[in-house]
Amino acid sequence: MTDLLSASGDAANADVDVLVVGVFSGEDAPVLPESLAGVDAEFGGRLAEQLAALGNTGAAASLTRLPAPEGLHAKLVYAVGLGDAGDLDDETLRRAAGTAVRAAFGEETVAIAFEGDPEATATGAILGAYKFEGFKTDGNGDAAPGSIAVYGAGEDAVAKSRVVGESIALVKDWVSAPANLLRPPTFAIEIEQAAVAAGLEVEILDAEALSAGGYGGVLAVGGGSSAPPRLVRLSYRPEGARKHIALVGKGITFDSGGYSIKPTAGMWEMKYDMAGAAAVVGATIAAARLGLDVNVTCTVALAENLVSGTAYRPSDVLTIRNGMTVEILNTDAEGRLVLADALSRAVEDEPDAVYDVATLTGGQLIALGRRTMGLMGTDAETERIRRIGDATGEHGWPMPFPDDLVKLMESSIADVSQCAAGLKRDGHMIQGGIFLSKFVPEEIPWAHLDIAGPADSDSAHGYTAKGATAVPVRTLVALLEEHAGE
């Protein structure tokens, strides 16, 4: 993985392949900050003029490549627009750094000199350096830079960005892995290895233990696969921590839809259906490595939803861990069933708050698109996630639980219906949240994050590569930091 470094002094002295400088927007030419006076001097005081001649006026995320003049130690200079200086924020810095680093693939060393918060720049840089290598026998194109130095970033900021970046890379690697190489037992082992390395306690429940524990949802969903389901629990217990937070994730390593089988077109994307589990595991590992002063219990339910003679069916009635019965109408609405079990187990620990993450519904994508999470739960917690998500660049939007949709979830033969009666699609994303609310006591603060769209990107942009995004790891880490300070 790319080595993230701290740098100080005059960027004009950076001995690297690529020196990245940030410029602000101006009317006719970009505006150079005073910190780039040394760099500008080596361009004969004409750097802004040269950039303007090449069409770069400092607009946010614009990028212009220039050969470095003889007076600089760098080989190339990349000028990245940061927009209006008065509007500069952390997300602009993250995106600009990520854009520059992605453009520098194939170069070995990079240094970045931006105004603003250097931690945001460092985070964007390390995120932009991610690349899933894949399985091509003759390689997968240019490699990410071997090192990135960020001017003004102290050792603490670099260390934090490095930890978060490494956790996100782990999550992206898992989410991008082919479903045949990451089935539930294998995924459980990989989680255990990563968690133990971070100093976490690990408990893995196999099919026999799930049966003994009454986990009817996980067992039903995973019953059609030859790779049996697992439930994995990670515990982080720093000495003296006052609060206890539960994170819960959906880990469907492949979702065919079961007997309610999905169309062939797009089914290959269903390897992403474990992105919620990967994200909460990644955030828990990051919390441990950062030494956050908060207790965290992470519960993930892992299953593969396939068709076979042992698969569950529409019309089945299941009993969840907490004793509630569920009428099954659609075997492709399986994520809420494994989450019901995982949530039921999580609340038994009486945490101060519960947050679950899942690629739960296509309705989220229809309602909010590919880059905005659907947030449901108690008002204070959904608002907290929205606020933190805005700060991290992982945006979410709170959704209501209207009475008419709550009524649609009633069943005539079980405690609750898995889907709306008659499989009505009204408020499909909200239906999922309403169902999950049945498994979290009203007195426990709770938020459900539906990441069906944001879990992967169909194109590269800013610090985000095409493919798995690891949303909402950074939001969860910031959330845990906030709880640690309360």
Side-chain angles (χ1 to χ4, degrees):
M1 186 171 180
T2 298
D3 192 11
L4 192 63
L5 306 171
S6 174
S8 60
D10 191 339
N13 297 322
D15 188 6
V16 291
D17 293 320
V18 179
L19 172 62
V20 181
V21 298
V23 298
F24 296 111
S25 58
E27 290 187 11
D28 301 315
V31 177
L32 307 184
E34 290 183 8
S35 58
L36 294 183
V39 175
D40 187 36
E42 298 302 333
F43 279 91
R46 300 180 58 211
L47 176 56
E49 180 183 339
Q50 290 186 34
L51 292 173
L54 294 170
N56 188 332
T57 58
S62 58
L63 185 146
T64 301
R65 299 173 175 87
L66 296 169
E70 289 185 4
L72 294 180
H73 297 290
K75 180 174 69 175
L76 297 167
V77 173
Y78 289 2
V80 183
L82 300 177
D84 190 293
D87 296 331
L88 184 64
D89 59 18
D90 288 353
E91 182 64 3
T92 298
L93 291 169
R94 286 189 291 260
R95 291 180 179 178
T99 296
V101 169
R102 289 194 300 105
F105 273 41
E107 304 293 346
E108 182 59 27
T109 56
V110 174
I112 303 178
F114 287 172
E115 297 291 297
D117 183 3
E119 183 178 316
T121 299
T123 298
I126 198 65
L127 296 180
Y130 174 81
K131 181 178 184 179
F132 182 64
E133 291 302 330
F135 300 89
K136 294 186 177 183
T137 55
D138 57 354
N140 195 21
D142 290 336
S147 69
I148 303 172
V150 179
Y151 276 86
E155 292 297 337
D156 288 346
V158 166
K160 180 181 176 182
S161 296
R162 186 185 297 119
V163 166
V164 173
E166 288 173 354
S167 292
I168 285 175
L170 176 65
V171 171
K172 289 183 176 182
D173 283 349
W174 278 334
V175 177
S176 299
N180 63 317
L181 299 183
L182 199 72
R183 305 182 80 183
T186 304
F187 193 15
I189 291 171
E190 293 202 11
I191 290 173
E192 179 180 33
Q193 291 172 341
V196 168
L200 300 172
E201 294 183 7
V202 182
E203 177 188 18
I204 299 177
L205 277 62
D206 61 13
E208 183 178 351
L210 290 170
S211 180
Y215 294 90
V218 179
L219 288 167
V221 173
S225 172
S226 61
R230 296 286 188 269
L231 188 130
V232 183
R233 283 170 55 82
L234 311 179
S235 298
Y236 170 56
R237 297 290 184 270
E239 185 176 351
R242 296 178 300 277
K243 297 190 74 173
H244 177 202
I245 305 303
L247 300 180
V248 175
K250 169 190 172 183
I252 303 299
T253 60
F254 188 79
D255 181 20
S256 72
Y259 278 110
S260 306
I261 198 162
K262 294 178 180 291
T264 300
M267 193 191 290
W268 52 82
E269 293 184 347
M270 289 302 102
K271 69 176 186 177
Y272 290 144
D273 217 11
M274 37 62 69
V280 294
V281 169
T284 304
I285 289 172
R289 293 186 59 196
L290 292 171
L292 301 186
D293 190 22
V294 59
N295 295 312
V296 183
T297 303
C298 175
T299 305
V300 294
L302 314 180
E304 191 173 40
N305 188 24
L306 299 181
V307 181
S308 77
T310 56
Y312 77 129
R313 299 153 291 257
S315 80
D316 284 1
V317 173
L318 310 180
T319 302
I320 301 301
R321 163 80 177 183
N322 70 348
M324 289 187 67
T325 56
V326 179
E327 179 185 9
I328 303 303
L329 301 180
N330 178 1
T331 62
D332 192 25
E334 82 299 326
R336 64 197 67 184
L337 300 175
V338 303
L339 281 177
D341 272 336
L343 284 167
S344 296
R345 177 62 187 91
V347 300
E348 292 173 15
D349 299 326
E350 299 182 349
D352 294 297
V354 180
Y355 305 92
D356 75 79
V357 183
T359 48
L360 202 69
T361 65
Q364 179 279 321
L365 220 151
I366 293 169
L368 297 173
R370 298 202 69 94
R371 300 188 190 180
T372 304
M373 301 180 285
L375 308 179
M376 288 148 274
T378 55
D379 291 344
E381 296 314 308
T382 56
E383 174 57 25
R384 187 200 295 256
I385 295 293
R386 185 205 61 77
R387 171 176 52 79
I388 294 174
D390 281 351
T392 64
E394 297 178 333
H395 302 289
W397 194 254
M399 308 299 291
F401 284 168
D403 290 342
D404 61 315
L405 295 185
V406 173
K407 189 170 181 61
L408 284 179
M409 303 302 292
E410 295 177 355
S411 169
S412 61
I413 66 170
D415 294 330
V416 64
S417 176
Q418 169 212 32
C419 303
L423 293 181
K424 290 185 177 180
R425 301 289 288 177
D426 308 25
H428 184 222
M429 170 177 55
I430 297 172
Q431 289 181 28
I434 292 170
F435 177 85
L436 295 178
S437 72
K438 308 295 183 181
F439 303 92
V440 182
E442 291 184 1
E443 64 271 16
I444 297 181
W446 162 65
H448 160 60
L449 288 65
D450 191 335
I451 61 166
D456 71 282
S457 178
D458 54 7
S459 62
H461 56 91
Y463 50 77
T464 302
K466 181 179 180 180
T469 64
V471 169
V473 171
R474 290 182 296 116
T475 295
L476 295 176
V477 172
L479 170 72
L480 294 173
E481 285 182 302
E482 184 167 291
H483 278 295
E486 292 179 348

